[in-house]
Amino acid sequence: MNSHRLRRLFSRALHASLATPLVLAGCGTEGSVGTKDYSEIECTDGSPAVSDLTLTPAPDFVQLRYIGTNGGQPMGAYSPSSSSGEACATATDVPTCKEALEDATVTAGFHHVCLDFCTDAFLVTTRGDEVKTYATLAELQGLLGTVDTEQEAVLKTFAAGYSLLCGKKEQGAVKRNDDGSFNVISTKGYACGPGTELTQHVVKVTASGEVQELEKRVLEKGDPNCNIGRRPVGLQVAEACDAPEALGRYFADAAHLEAASVHAFLRLRDELELHGADVGLQDAARRSAMEEVQHARVTDRLARRFGGTPQRPVVAELPPRSLVEVALENAVEGCVRETYGALLAHHQALHARDLEVREAMVRIAEDETRHAALSWDIDQWARPRLSEQQREALREAQKRAVALLREEVAVPLDASIITEAGMPTPEAALALLDTLEQDLWA
């Protein structure tokens, strides 16, 4: 299905509704370093900003990108994050430069982090007609030269494998020292599962780019009962741990399901290949997995900002499924739940009072609309390959999924989730469902 058609349908649904979620939970902090003399780090899209970098010679454009791996193999796509400058501004052949920029990627980078999936980061720059990537600590240091700004110190800390949370000094802050070096507050790990812990680290970054760890504290110990959109087959139920704010619980649940969706799309891609689907459908599923990696990062950041710590999704290893089983899951998880989820994201992008939430949902809504369109494309590809009896089973499964969704959206929400996160009231949510059912699920 063309995603433009879905956008038009969503626009009608939002107008008709007249209207103005998803869990890693953290339980307790053991102590943190004082942050009085520190400043919050600069961020863009939840990642360290790449502005305020004194690079010589100065590039026209700098962008931080993420790549994902599954089982040690690159997933074949990157996800752009923060950027600065104008791409190919001084190129003599702008189209060729922009094409090279679009294609620029690496197989491994710095800031290697693995939970249920692994991600690396790298920088890409343009200067004149040259497009260049920086994927190792040595290459990054060569680009930065002398570390003489706070944001350069933050970027070096990030590249060394530390995580930094925007908007929370205890997990992301920086200060300049009298000797010209910088101290950066960062974290490692996560608090979910027996033996896990989220640790706070204070590192010193010298002018030459050396990163020295000065202090380490435990911020949170993992909940031993913690279990780690589009839900993958085999996803284990996660037990919630209380968070002080409803918004923290909501976004922690969202981050949990976004991370689970990575598994769903990677499995979908493999099963599409197994059953002989077009390469275009396979590639779209793989790219969707990469986009879900970024969604998990964004919702994780929002969850932690509101006091939640998302759980890792636990997904059982299961053998490949038959075509009808794949089609049944797609009819429910894709054509119903993911399609409605994409519409919800558009609603949040319009109605969330919190600026960070609203900006995050603008991007997520566009990605999820493409994911929903992919679900309908897969449905269109699969149905002719099924028997009439199997197609009838798909129709019945879809009807049951819509009925269940009606029950779910009728449950009242905390007022903060409606106002700050932009979720519709139960009445508005049912109106949104009415439009989709009339035009898509009838």
Side-chain angles (χ1 to χ4, degrees), residues 248-278:
R249 294 190 295 272
Y250 168 78
F251 281 112
D253 194 17
H256 174 259
L257 292 185
E258 295 286 10
S261 293
V262 178
H263 296 267
F265 278 113
L266 290 175
R267 180 183 179 93
L268 178 62
R269 186 268 168 202
D270 291 342
E271 290 179 328
L272 287 172
E273 180 183 29
L274 175 67
H275 295 295
D278 297 339

Side-chain angles (χ1 to χ4, degrees), residues 275-290:
H275 295 295
D278 297 339
V279 173
L281 293 178
Q282 298 176 38
D283 289 345
R286 182 170 55 243
R287 179 169 291 275
S288 296
M290 271 304 306

Side-chain angles (χ1 to χ4, degrees), residues 118-176:
C118 299
T119 60
D120 288 19
F122 68 101
L123 290 182
V124 60
T125 64
T126 71
R127 180 174 179 268
D129 292 309
E130 181 185 52
V131 176
K132 191 172 181 180
T133 59
Y134 302 82
T136 68
L137 290 175
E139 290 171 348
L140 176 62
Q141 186 58 49
L143 174 67
L144 295 177
T146 302
V147 176
D148 50 13
T149 71
E150 290 185 346
Q151 204 58 26
E152 289 182 350
V154 167
L155 189 58
K156 280 299 306 250
T157 303
F158 172 81
Y162 295 90
S163 296
L164 298 108
L165 180 64
C166 311
K168 193 171 184 179
K169 285 186 179 182
E170 291 78 9
Q171 298 183 38
V174 60
K175 72 172 182 178
R176 184 189 294 268

Side-chain angles (χ1 to χ4, degrees), residues 10 107 160 246 265 279 354:
F10 290 167
T107 57
F265 278 113
V279 173
D354 185 279

Side-chain angles (χ1 to χ4, degrees), residues 304-316:
R304 294 176 187 277
R305 176 187 158 197
F306 292 114
T309 306
Q311 296 178 19
R312 298 171 58 200
V314 174
V315 181

Side-chain angles (χ1 to χ4, degrees), residues 315-327:
V315 181
E317 290 287 342
L318 299 173
R321 297 168 296 173
S322 66
L323 177 59
V324 66
E325 290 174 312
V326 174

